[in-house]
């Protein structure tokens, strides 16, 4: 059994196996975090869940979650109770956290921040103008 958190964020309905990627993306090394992996779910079969004590996510952090888990539920907890509940959604713009999958893109050779703009269900690199689905990306090294 895991105790409830008093103040923080609960990320629920994460795709099974995505919790560690989300923790890396959010840089949660300094937070008290509880991770549940491959939890049974009547809706999804299995899912992951992350409880983060003492951290309320910013809009930018919620957008990052939307990259990996577009159907995730983001619960804001205060006083041990859910104060607000929302859904993650894919961001319109992504800066600096993803590497361009196009091996010939200038961002893979020069020191510059990557930038992608959402076009429907894909993202377009503003440097090489190639279009990619979220599955094509890998995180930039920190």
């Amino acid at each position: 059994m895991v105790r409830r958190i008093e103040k923080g964020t609960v990320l629920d309905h994460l795709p099974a196996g995505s919790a560690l990627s989300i923790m890396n993306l959010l840089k949660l090394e300094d937070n008290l975090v509880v991770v549940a992996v491959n939890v049974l779910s009547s809706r999804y079969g299995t899912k992951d869940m992350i409880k983060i004590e003492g951290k309320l996510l910013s809009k930018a952090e919620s957008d990052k979650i939307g990259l990996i888990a577009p159907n995730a539920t983001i619960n804001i907890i205060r006083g041990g109770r859910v104060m607000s509940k929302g859904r993650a959604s894919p961001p319109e713009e992504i800066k600096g956290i993803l590497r361009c999958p196009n091996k010939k893109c200038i961002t893979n050779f020069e020191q510059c921040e990557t930038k992608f703009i959402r076009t429907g269900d894909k993202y377009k690199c503003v440097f090489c103008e190639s279009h990619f689905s979220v599955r094509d990306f890998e995180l930039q090294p920190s």
Side-chain angles (χ1 to χ4, degrees):
M1 296 298 291
V2 176
R3 71 173 183 85
R4 68 180 187 178
I5 61 176
E6 288 300 313
K7 178 183 176 188
T9 305
V10 175
L11 305 174
D12 199 2
H13 304 108
L14 303 172
S18 68
L20 295 180
S21 295
I22 290 170
M23 287 179 57
N24 286 335
L25 199 60
L26 296 177
K27 298 182 169 106
L28 298 175
E29 302 90 21
D30 296 332
N31 298 90
L32 175 60
V33 178
V34 175
V35 179
V37 179
N38 290 322
V39 176
L40 290 178
S41 167
S42 59
R43 181 180 283 171
Y44 299 106
T46 58
K47 66 178 182 178
D48 287 0
M49 183 170 49
I50 303 173
K51 290 183 172 190
I52 311 162
E53 180 75 49
K55 181 169 181 66
L56 303 176
L57 298 182
S58 67
K59 170 75 169 114
E61 290 170 319
S62 295
D63 285 348
K64 288 178 182 180
I65 293 166
L67 281 173
I68 296 172
N71 295 315
T73 304
I74 301 173
N75 301 305
I76 303 302
I77 312 296
R78 288 193 178 98
R81 296 180 175 260
V82 176
M83 298 309 289
S84 67
K85 189 178 230 180
R87 288 238 178 242
S89 60
E92 294 299 319
E93 183 177 284
I94 307 165
K95 285 185 176 180
I97 61 170
L98 299 175
R99 175 178 287 156
C100 185
N102 178 359
K103 301 294 183 207
K104 295 180 180 179
C105 181
I106 190 71
T107 62
N108 289 313
F109 301 102
E110 298 290 328
Q111 187 72 18
C112 57
E113 182 178 64
T114 59
K115 182 177 177 182
F116 301 91
I117 306 293
R118 193 167 107 198
T119 58
D121 62 346
K122 295 193 175 207
Y123 285 89
K124 177 179 137 184
C125 174
V126 298
F127 292 94
C128 70
E129 298 188 351
S130 298
H131 293 259
F132 305 98
S133 70
V134 172
R135 294 183 308 277
D136 296 327
F137 289 106
E138 59 184 81
L139 296 176
Q140 288 272 41
S142 303

